[in-house]
Amino acid sequence: MAKLKKIRLGDLLVQHGKISQEQLEAALQTQKDSGKKLGQILVDQGLIDETSLLRFVAEQLDIDYVDLSQFQVDPEIARFLSESQARRFRAIPLRYKDDGSLQVAMSDPTNVMAVDRLERILGREVEPAVVSESSLLRSLDRLYTHSQEMSSLAEEIGEEMGEQREGQGLLEERPGSEDAPVVRLLNTLFTQAVREGASDIHVEPDAEILRIRFRIDGVLQERMKAEGRVANAVCSRLKLMGGLDIAERRLPQDGRFHLTIEGHHIDVRLSTMPTNHGETAVMRLLDQSEGLLGLPELGMEEKVRDAFQHLIHSPHGIILVTGPTGSGKTTTLYAALKEINSLDHKILTVEDPVEYQLPLVNQIQVRPQIDLTFGRILRSVLRHDPDIIMVGEIRDLETASIAVRAALTGHRVFSTLHTNDAAGTAMRLIDMGVEPFLVASSLRGVVAQRLVRRICQTCRAPEEPSQPVLEGLRIDPDKVAGITFYRGRGCSECNNTGYRGRVGIYELMEVDSAVRDAVANNDRRGIEQALQQQPAYRTLRRSGFEKARAGITSLEEVLRVTAEDEEFREFVTA
């Protein structure tokens, strides 16, 4: 490949009519004052969009423009450069060319000195390709996931454990202990989890290996495997951080600790459990710096959101949010409290644990070890003159009975319950032992919900739904003919999963007179028939279908999260 030529970007843009001479002179003055690159200034000022600028540069230099969000980077080739080298030169090796040269993505391919240095480091001719600097930096964050660093640290821990029985010397709090390999391993682990947006970290010892997995968007993904002998040191260090007894390995333990990682304030809830191959640990990561979602951000359909807002402003009664663990119930409750929180309301919450701090709200942490249970707290809460009470979960008859009594005496009560759908919630309370007429009198509304993964908008592409998916959702293929559905092909932006982020699907039951009569008679079928007449009612699958039709999620994802709900009626798309 011929050596790169130097170009005067500003003059070329003027010559080709991309910007005017006056705009160039103003941008050059800004460059003189700020020290920024000319191209970035032109993009920031809206004189040219970034993609057009990069394509123009590629054309002038007679090189390729590469959209990294659409390019499958080979990690083995990319790691020909160390992370420090890649970040220093803003470069990622991409692929071998037919002439034996190596194509390297660069944010500034006009930097001839950087190209020469890269050729010396890589030991072969370099053919630059221009890329967006922001996409290049995101790709570097994903490529250098510290997996090699974590593996080498795990090996170092294993070597030291061979010298120190049980690795206890690795765990002592002493000057310089922050440099211990187990500490550096966990720091790297937490940093990577935060960067990838993981909600949980699973540390799982097996017969021969220690496996570490992240839960991202509700799905577990393996991140590291190491020798099994390092498991005790890792788990013991976590227990030390969580204030647990590191000598107790026969019983489950729960703890929590706080971390600050790259500006994120993380509350970590730690749980350990003895298994056949040692202790397993699971950590739930709560990012306190992200802030609480409001109702508009939850993803409720407009009719459902309007009806839910009306419910949460009711003067009294119980509003329940139901669904399995990890379905976003607590997030919905916090969004509701955020909506109604004001100086003229006294709000008390009883939680296990308190996940987010809310201004103006009196939040109480359940502590079973000192007999500070939901029931005991609720009996005292009613004497503190609350207007609104939020109970983290209704788990037993005592909690349910107090919640019902509070609702019947003029309080608004918010809580969660584990049921599959909205219609089954009243039956669940009755099965707990609450009288049907009391449930009918106190219950105002129920939201059942699930979380589905969002299709990655970068690699989204149309797809034809498969027959098994349509059959699983009970969809007549003729009724969806002409509707365009989508899937994610997988790209660097979504770690090749095709999904990025999650959104809720919702089923809302308002307790009107027809539903109330059915509940009082303990008649589930009567409840379902009454729900069909409510304008805001949608089954979970119908809610998911609407999001799939809008290109937000896929039909496969809707089937995945509602697969257990076999009681749904014939699916109608009209």
Side-chain angles (χ1 to χ4, degrees), residues 519-532:
V519 172
N521 293 320
N522 199 5
D523 180 8
R524 165 150 186 151
R525 182 158 296 279
I527 295 174
E528 291 180 346
Q529 291 172 348
L531 287 178
Q532 299 300 323

Side-chain angles (χ1 to χ4, degrees), residues 96-102 124-125:
Y96 291 107
K97 304 292 285 186
D98 292 338
D99 61 3
S101 64
L102 183 63
R124 64 177 62 239
E125 185 177 351

Side-chain angles (χ1 to χ4, degrees), residues 61-116:
L61 293 174
D62 193 24
I63 62 176
D64 290 340
Y65 161 69
V66 175
D67 182 354
L68 284 178
S69 66
Q70 302 293 331
F71 187 89
Q72 188 66 43
V73 178
D74 185 340
E76 295 301 320
I77 295 178
R79 292 193 182 112
F80 288 166
L81 292 179
S82 68
E83 181 175 6
S84 61
Q85 291 168 337
R87 292 188 183 278
R88 177 183 175 188
F89 296 114
R90 294 291 195 266
I92 299 176
L94 297 180
R95 57 192 168 191
Y96 291 107
K97 304 292 285 186
D98 292 338
D99 61 3
S101 64
L102 183 63
Q103 188 177 56
V104 177
M106 300 182 68
S107 61
D108 183 10
T110 64
N111 188 340
V112 178
M113 293 182 63
V115 174
D116 289 341

Side-chain angles (χ1 to χ4, degrees), residues 280-294:
T280 181
V282 177
M283 289 159 282
R284 169 66 55 87
L285 309 182
L286 297 171
D287 192 342
Q288 301 289 341
S289 56
E290 284 190 348
L292 295 174
L293 295 180

